[in-house]
Amino acid sequence: TMPVHTFRIHSPADVVTVIMLLGVAVVVSQLASAMRAQARKAIANAARNATIAGFAGDLLPCVDAERIGLASCGNLARLFDCNAAMLVERDGDPAVIASEPRHARLTPADYGAAGIVFRGGEVVGRGSPRLSPADWLFFPVKSDGSVLATLGLARDDGRAPVADEQTPLLANLIDQIALALERSNLERQMQDVASLRERDHLRSALLSSVGHDLRTPLTGIIGAA
């Protein structure tokens, strides 16, 4: 009887068969691996898009910078499991308008780093390429080249607040914050224009009324003169 359960090949034709089977197995394995990688990438992209959409939805009802800051800091602290703060410039100095947790502590070095972000528009703070004694890592929130606000992230244990693989997601979320701040600024400007038009209309109506009321007495005075 022929031996079983052995790798010994007696026929040359079987050698070709084995090689072909091995080649097919390698190709199928590579295709399956590529499909699994694409599936994982698609799932990650879908999760990221869902996160961005949810973040943008939370910012949509916000009408001013303070509310935008509160919504942004709350979401970022939850997504990245860190502390978050948003600063704007007031009288030339950085000022915190929102933070999570509330009343987050920033040192003078942190405020100095935030000021550098407003002036230079680059990432500054702990873990950034630019050396700084700050405990927070600050990111510029920019629109058309101008810095609208500064976003600060930090951890209580001193580790980097955002992992390298999370940086693209954070960049997309910062873009959403910039869009929300720009929309808020445009809405405020439109309200100012509407208020100015209303004042002009009231002024014109008042002058017209005064002119009408004075027309008859002036006519009489001129006739008497």
Side-chain angles (χ1 to χ4, degrees), residues 134-159:
D135 295 327
W136 291 64
L137 180 61
F138 294 97
F139 300 86
V141 181
K142 297 188 293 186
S143 176
D144 294 333
S146 61
V147 180
L148 304 178
T150 295
L151 178 67
L153 301 178
R155 289 185 183 274
D156 295 332
D157 56 10
R159 294 186 294 112

Side-chain angles (χ1 to χ4, degrees), residues 31-211:
L31 291 176
S33 177
M35 292 179 64
R36 286 194 297 268
Q38 291 179 356
R40 288 193 296 267
K41 185 177 180 180
I43 293 173
N45 289 338
R48 184 179 66 180
N49 292 337
T51 300
I52 296 172
F55 189 82
D58 290 340
L59 296 179
L60 188 60
C62 301
V63 295
D64 53 33
E66 285 75 13
R67 295 183 184 181
I68 293 173
L70 288 173
S72 300
C73 291
N75 277 278
L76 293 172
R78 175 180 54 83
L79 290 172
F80 299 104
D81 190 23
C82 64
N83 302 330
M86 182 176 290
L87 300 86
V88 298
E89 272 195 315
R90 289 179 177 170
D91 298 328
D93 295 321
V96 177
I97 61 171
S99 64
E100 182 64 35
R102 301 291 177 89
H103 310 296
R105 189 180 71 88
L106 275 71
T107 65
D110 294 323
Y111 283 105
I116 295 174
V117 175
F118 278 110
R119 293 190 296 271
E122 59 184 14
V123 180
V124 178
R126 180 180 291 272
S128 67
R130 180 165 182 168
L131 295 178
S132 172
D135 295 327
W136 291 64
L137 180 61
F138 294 97
F139 300 86
V141 181
K142 297 188 293 186
S143 176
D144 294 333
S146 61
V147 180
L148 304 178
T150 295
L151 178 67
L153 301 178
R155 289 185 183 274
D156 295 332
D157 56 10
R159 294 186 294 112
V162 181
D164 292 339
E165 61 271 14
Q166 294 177 315
T167 302
L169 174 60
L170 177 61
N172 288 327
L173 298 180
I174 290 177
D175 289 340
Q176 295 298 321
I177 297 174
L179 290 174
L181 290 173
E182 190 173 16
R183 171 178 52 80
S184 175
N185 292 337
L186 290 175
E187 290 178 353
R188 186 176 65 254
Q189 293 174 5
M190 292 177 62
Q191 290 176 357
D192 293 341
V193 171
S195 178
L196 181 61
R197 288 179 177 176
E198 185 176 357
R199 288 199 300 268
D200 289 341
H201 177 72
L202 291 175
R203 186 183 298 109
S204 299
L206 178 61
L207 292 175
S208 176
S209 176
V210 171

Side-chain angles (χ1 to χ4, degrees), residues 19-44:
I19 293 175
M20 292 181 60
L21 291 175
L22 288 175
V24 171
V26 170
V27 172
V28 172
S29 175
Q30 291 179 347
L31 291 176
S33 177
M35 292 179 64
R36 286 194 297 268
Q38 291 179 356
R40 288 193 296 267
K41 185 177 180 180
I43 293 173

